[in-house]
């Protein structure tokens, strides 16, 4: 055990992990069949589901990467992503909830098969599985890298320990264990984050007022408002990206659709959406303020350089000088460094538990939804006769297997990862999620808004987006002075996925016009989902 970690800290972490296992065991009675394991027998209350949705939003990417992004950029541009959530929530409440609760049974991708055939459902299932598997691996790796210096277990051992706890309570309790542990985890991580912020503020003897005075001008800026700047992370680029990604989450991510199906009725489902979306805004602000606080804490003037106003008549500095931050510390490691060196016992243990909670609240829901997609969209489809073993056992095995695969992927990434100091993990994840989800979200919008286009037309629209996405990802490395520099993509990385999405909609729209004018035969036997939702 590291010298700076007290036995009290260790016991807090152990008690937290044990509590998650106990919660999973307590709800096993409601998870003994497929309906109970995947949608909680459709009897859950809106406030519980809403807290679980919030827990899924608040992954370790939020807990660690948002403060890192704010610390690095010196502004609150990252907060704009959360500001887009209420816009996406309006669409989810009035469109997605009635659509899914009226059109599908378990899988969000049943709708795509109803519109365009099984190829669309299979494509969506594999896209979702690939995206979520990497998401789980990144969340596990991020939390392991942050927690390992605090616990001293080793990165791989930390990965395995976290994964085992999540897999065990997920396998035991299914979606009910996921939702109820998420509720507990939201409280733990919020208290931990608030404690960190208070530690930064209380380090100033002048309290909140002095802390506030030392915040540099422009720290609360949301970024440039220039609508013509497409190469930098402006307010509009992040806001547009936030609307696109949050609508994709609500509309095509099985994690969220599955919770809509867990609700006792449509009213409870709508309540869950609003609780999750509106609660995220103040909690996200806490993490952004932590990023600002880290900048103030570690970049405050040294005692000999303080102005006269910052010194008492006795000559003592009014600011507690923190342990000096190493010059080569990456932005993603500043917050863990603060936790390790500046927090007292008890607070450190609680914050470590909060970091674990942030990761586990995302990993558990991803594993549960992935196992259901494998069973419902793939295994049932190609199984020629009845199940050899009960499907509930199959679900539990898939959950354990996918958890093991994600852990192995995280360990592989760790062994071959090269850091990019110019970008934070939040930047990298935003780009990947936007690119990987562009085709899936585009296909969903075609099925929802333009169901009359033929199945082959939807396929062409998806394929047409691939060159755009590849150009946005690959064409960025040619130096400006070379003859190939004109081929570089001028768009900000967050716009790459949106450009692919727009390509799908434009090509699909052309096929829709062809159907309306009689040039192409309409998609037979598929009604308009908006009319029946």
């Amino acid at each position: 055990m590291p010298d700076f970690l007290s036995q009290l800290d260790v016991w807090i972490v152990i008690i937290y992990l044990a509590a998650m296992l106990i919660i999973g065991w307590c709800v096993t009675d409601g998870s003994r069949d497929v309906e109970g394991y995947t949608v909680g027998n459709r009897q859950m209350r809106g406030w519980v589901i809403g807290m679980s949705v919030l827990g899924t939003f608040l992954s370790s990417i939020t807990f660690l990467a948002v403060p890192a992004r704010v610390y690095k950029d010196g502004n609150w541009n990252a907060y704009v992503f959360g500001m887009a959530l209420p816009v996406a929530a309006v669409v989810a409440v009035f469109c997605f909830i009635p659509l899914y609760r009226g059109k599908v049974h378990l899988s969000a991708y049943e709708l795509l098969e109803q519109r365009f055939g099984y190829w669309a459902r299979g494509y969506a299932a594999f896209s979702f599985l690939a995206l979520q598997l990497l998401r789980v691996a990144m969340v596990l790796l991020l939390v392991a890298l942050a927690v390992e210096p605090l616990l001293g277990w080793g990165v791989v051992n930390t990965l395995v320990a976290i994964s085992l706890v999540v897999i065990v309570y997920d396998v035991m309790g299914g979606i009910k264990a996921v939702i109820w542990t998420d509720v507990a985890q939201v409280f733990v991580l919020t208290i931990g984050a608030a404690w960190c912020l208070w530690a930064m503020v209380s380090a100033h003897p002048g309290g909140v007022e002095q802390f506030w005075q030392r915040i540099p001008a422009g720290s609360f800026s949301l970024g440039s408002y220039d609508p013509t700047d497409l190469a930098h992370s402006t307010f509009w680029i992040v806001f547009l990206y936030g609307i696109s990604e949050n609508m994709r989450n609500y509309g095509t991510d099985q994690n969220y659709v599955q919770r809509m199906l867990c609700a006792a009725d449509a009213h409870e489902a709508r309540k869950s959406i609003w609780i999750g979306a509106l609660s995220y805004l103040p909690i996200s602000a806490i993490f952004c303020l932590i990023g600002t606080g880290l900048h103030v804490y570690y970049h405050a003037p040294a005692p000999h350089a303080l102005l006269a106003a910052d010194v008492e008549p006795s000559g003592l500095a009014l600011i507690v000088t923190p342990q000096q931050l190493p010059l080569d510390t990456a932005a993603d490691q500043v917050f863990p460094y603060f936790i390790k060196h500046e927090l007292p016992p008890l607070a450190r243990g609680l914050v470590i538990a909060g970091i674990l909670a942030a990761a586990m609240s995302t990993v558990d829901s991803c594993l549960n939804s992935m196992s259901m997609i494998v069973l419902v969209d793939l295994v049932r489809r190609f199984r020629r006769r009845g199940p050899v073993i009960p499907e509930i056992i199959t679900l539990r095995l898939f959950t354990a297997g996918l958890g093991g695969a994600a852990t192995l992927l995280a360990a592989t990434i760790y062994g071959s990862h090269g850091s990019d100091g110019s970008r934070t993990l939040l930047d990298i994840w935003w780009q990947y999620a936007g690119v990987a989800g562009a085709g899936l979200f585009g296909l969903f919008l075609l099925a929802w808004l333009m169901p009359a286009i033929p199945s082959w037309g939807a396929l062409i629209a998806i394929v047409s987006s691939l060159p755009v996405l590849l150009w946005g990802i690959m064409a960025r490395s040619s130096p400006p002075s070379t003859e190939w520099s004109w081929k570089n993509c001028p768009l900000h990385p967050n716009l790459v996925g949106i450009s692919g999405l727009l390509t799908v909609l434009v090509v699909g729209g052309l096929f829709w016009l062809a159907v309306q004018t009689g040039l192409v035969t309409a998609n037979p036997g598929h009604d308009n989902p908006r009319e029946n939702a």
Side-chain angles (χ1 to χ4, degrees), residues 324-507:
Q324 187 174 2
L325 186 70
L327 294 178
D328 59 347
T329 304
D332 288 307
Q333 293 300 314
V334 174
F335 192 18
Y337 184 89
F338 173 86
I339 296 169
K340 176 179 179 179
H341 293 284
E342 310 299 342
L343 289 184
L346 177 63
R348 189 183 297 117
L350 183 62
V351 172
I352 293 174
I355 296 174
L356 295 175
M360 295 164 71
S361 62
T362 298
V363 172
D364 56 12
S365 58
C366 289
L367 294 182
N368 186 273
S369 60
M370 283 194 293
S371 64
M372 192 188 76
I373 289 298
V374 173
L375 174 66
V376 175
D377 291 330
L378 302 176
V379 173
R380 282 183 177 177
R381 182 72 186 194
F382 295 103
R383 192 171 55 204
R384 296 183 179 275
R385 53 181 182 273
V388 178
I389 59 177
E391 288 188 333
I392 184 60
I393 297 180
T394 303
L395 276 172
R396 299 185 198 276
L397 292 175
F398 283 151
T399 301
L402 289 165
T407 306
L408 180 61
L409 178 58
T412 303
I413 295 173
Y414 170 70
S416 59
H417 177 64
S419 62
D420 179 3
S422 64
R423 304 175 68 196
T424 65
L425 287 173
L426 184 63
D427 296 318
I428 297 171
W429 170 248
W430 275 5
Q431 180 185 3
Y432 178 80
V435 170
L440 176 57
F441 189 33
L443 185 60
F444 167 78
L445 290 178
L446 294 183
W448 178 43
L449 301 174
M450 295 176 271
I453 69 173
S455 175
W456 55 270
L459 178 59
I460 291 176
I462 296 297
V463 173
S464 299
S465 69
L466 296 180
V468 176
L469 295 173
L470 289 174
W471 173 61
I473 297 172
M474 307 298 294
R476 292 184 175 274
S477 57
S478 298
S481 59
T482 65
E483 60 178 324
W484 300 102
S485 62
W486 63 273
K487 293 186 177 181
N488 282 348
C489 177
L491 301 178
H492 187 273
N494 288 355
L495 290 180
V496 174
I498 294 176
S499 63
L501 171 64
L502 292 177
T503 302
V504 173
L505 295 180
V506 168
V507 175

Side-chain angles (χ1 to χ4, degrees), residues 252-274:
T252 67
D253 192 324
Q254 181 66 26
N255 291 309
Y256 298 90
V257 175
Q258 198 166 334
R259 285 169 171 78
M260 297 179 193
L261 301 177
C262 288
D265 52 42
H267 172 72
E268 296 297 323
R270 290 191 293 268
K271 184 192 300 183
S272 71
I273 294 295
W274 284 121

Side-chain angles (χ1 to χ4, degrees), residues 203-219:
H204 297 70
V208 175
E209 182 179 358
Q210 187 183 42
F211 171 79
W212 205 261
Q213 290 174 350
R214 302 195 67 83
I215 295 177
S219 294

